[in-house]
């Protein structure tokens, strides 16, 4: 009886877990689709910004003697396989390669891995789980980075993030965002006499930084939810197979209990018959 109770309780637990993982799979699929649908527009806008940067002729030199900075984009949530560990390994490697002095960290999952290598983020931000959280994150992140760069507290910015390569597949990449790479233009435009040259440059750089980080975060969000979607599918398969095996064990336990009960009845009947005969 105790074995049957244990197996029934296990089936109830597996059913509850299956409902929770199924809900998470649906939510991840929803956020994954929205992130992928938004990427073409973001890339188109960033391409237009490349054209504007080229036409007004913005060329940002490296701040000689000013240390580099690193932005690590990971996640706050788990159940996404080796997503955060792979990003953390690349972040540690890039921090050592570029001798960074300032680290911006998006997502708490990578911070523990960085801390093991004595890399403590100077600024930390919560990782967005949906598109709605991207704008709020960027308002603070882009401004902090731009203020530090314009104030010559950082000389360059390298971003470690995930590049989406299909559901359940991504590639950790490192990209230098600042200073802006020179873009060749076929016919550079003359600056307007009605707008201050420095103001125009500052606005263009801020917009370029914002849309570049937005595109990177979108790609990372799609990769994260793609990994979580695959992990949820694997978890559901395991739960289904475990529930099936547990159901079979429960059926077997019931059959054994019924057989034992029948044998006890037969044995009891034989004993009473033997007692009556004596």
């Amino acid at each position: 009886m105790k074995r049957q109770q244990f197996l029934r309780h296990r089936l109830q637990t597996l059913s509850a877990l299956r409902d929770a993982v199924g809900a998470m799979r649906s939510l991840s699929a929803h956020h994954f689709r929205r992130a992928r649908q938004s990427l073409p527009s973001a890339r188109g806008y960033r391409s237009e910004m490349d054209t504007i940067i080229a036409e007004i002729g913005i060329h940002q030199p490296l701040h000689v003697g000013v240390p580099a900075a690193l932005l690590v984009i990971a996640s706050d949530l788990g159940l996404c396989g080796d997503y955060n560990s792979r990003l953390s390994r690349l972040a540690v490697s890039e921090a050592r390669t570029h001798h960074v002095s300032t680290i911006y960290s998006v997502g708490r999952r990578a911070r523990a891995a960085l801390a093991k290598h004595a890399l403590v983020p100077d600024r930390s931000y919560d990782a967005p789980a949906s598109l709605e959280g991207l704008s709020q994150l960027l308002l603070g992140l882009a401004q902090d980075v731009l203020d530090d760069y314009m104030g010559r507290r950082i000389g360059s910015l390298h971003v470690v993030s995930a590049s989406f390569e299909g559901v359940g597949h991504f590639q950790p990449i490192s990209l230098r965002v600042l200073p802006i790479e020179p873009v060749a233009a076929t016919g550079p435009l003359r600056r307007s006499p009605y707008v201050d040259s420095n103001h125009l440059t500052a606005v263009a750089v801020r917009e370029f930084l914002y849309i570049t980080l937005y595109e990177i975060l979108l790609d990372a969000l799609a990769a994260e939810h793609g990994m979580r979607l695959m992990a949820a599918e694997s978890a559901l398969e395991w739960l289904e197979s475990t529930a099936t095996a547990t159901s079979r064990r429960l059926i077997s336990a019931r059959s054994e209990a019924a057989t034992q009960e029948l044998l006890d009845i037969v044995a009891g009947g034989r004993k009473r018959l033997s007692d009556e005969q004596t």
Side-chain angles (χ1 to χ4, degrees):
M1 182 61 69
K2 289 184 179 180
R3 185 186 177 197
Q4 292 184 53
Q5 291 176 346
F6 168 78
L7 293 173
R8 282 195 294 267
H9 178 71
R10 183 174 176 80
L11 281 174
Q12 292 172 355
T13 302
L14 290 171
S15 177
L17 286 173
R18 186 166 54 240
D19 292 341
V21 174
M24 186 177 64
R25 178 186 61 178
S26 299
L27 193 60
S28 292
H30 169 71
H31 291 315
F32 168 76
R33 284 193 299 268
R34 292 193 62 196
R36 291 296 295 167
Q37 290 169 357
S38 300
L39 265 172
S41 299
R43 285 171 176 162
Y45 189 85
R46 198 258 309 150
S47 178
E48 292 296 325
M49 283 306 305
D50 285 343
T51 302
I52 292 174
I53 293 294
E55 289 181 344
I56 64 179
I58 293 179
H59 302 287
Q60 291 184 306
L62 281 168
H63 294 331
V64 180
V66 182
L70 181 69
L71 169 59
V72 184
I73 299 176
S75 74
D76 277 347
L77 306 176
L79 196 61
C80 49
D82 59 353
Y83 180 83
N84 292 294
S85 61
R86 291 175 63 188
L87 289 171
S88 299
R89 286 196 296 270
L90 179 59
V92 171
S93 174
E94 288 294 290
R96 290 172 174 170
T97 300
H98 300 291
H99 307 287
V100 302
S101 65
T102 302
I103 298 177
Y104 308 90
S105 174
V106 175
R108 65 174 65 96
R109 291 280 174 170
R111 294 170 200 165
L114 293 175
K116 291 179 180 179
H117 297 271
L119 299 173
V120 181
D122 298 88
R123 297 179 187 267
S124 299
Y125 309 84
D126 293 334
S130 63
L131 289 183
E132 287 73 18
L134 284 182
S135 298
Q136 183 176 0
L137 166 64
L138 277 173
L139 288 175
L141 174 60
Q143 192 61 50
D144 289 342
V145 170
L146 190 59
D147 287 345
D148 288 344
Y149 182 71
M150 300 303 290
R152 297 179 67 88
R153 288 182 288 275
I154 63 173
S156 61
L157 177 69
H158 300 264
V159 180
V160 170
S161 65
S163 176
F164 176 77
E165 294 188 346
V167 177
H169 302 280
F170 77 98
Q171 182 64 39
I173 61 171
S174 177
L175 176 68
R176 198 189 81 180
V177 174
L178 291 175
I180 298 174
E181 293 285 351
V183 181
T186 55
L189 299 176
R190 295 182 59 185
R191 299 237 177 170
S192 171
Y194 304 104
V195 180
D196 180 74
S197 178
N198 292 331
H199 176 71
L200 178 61
T201 297
V203 170
V205 169
R206 181 171 60 247
E207 194 66 20
F208 176 86
L209 178 63
Y210 187 94
I211 189 58
T212 300
L213 291 179
Y214 185 76
E215 181 186 357
I216 291 173
L217 283 164
L218 267 180
D219 206 21
L221 190 64
E224 176 190 344
H225 283 296
M227 290 294 291
R228 188 168 291 111
L229 189 59
M230 182 64 69
E233 289 287 353
S234 299
L236 284 173
E237 289 179 5
W238 180 85
L239 287 168
E240 192 65 37
S241 64
T242 304
T244 300
T246 304
S247 295
R248 290 173 179 169
R249 290 173 60 189
L250 180 58
I251 292 172
S252 177
R254 287 172 176 170
S255 177
E256 290 175 3
T259 302
Q260 185 61 48
E261 184 178 354
L262 180 60
L263 290 175
D264 290 343
I265 293 173
V266 172
R270 287 179 177 176
K271 186 176 183 305
R272 285 194 300 270
L273 182 60
S274 176
D275 293 340
E276 291 175 356
Q277 290 177 348
T278 57

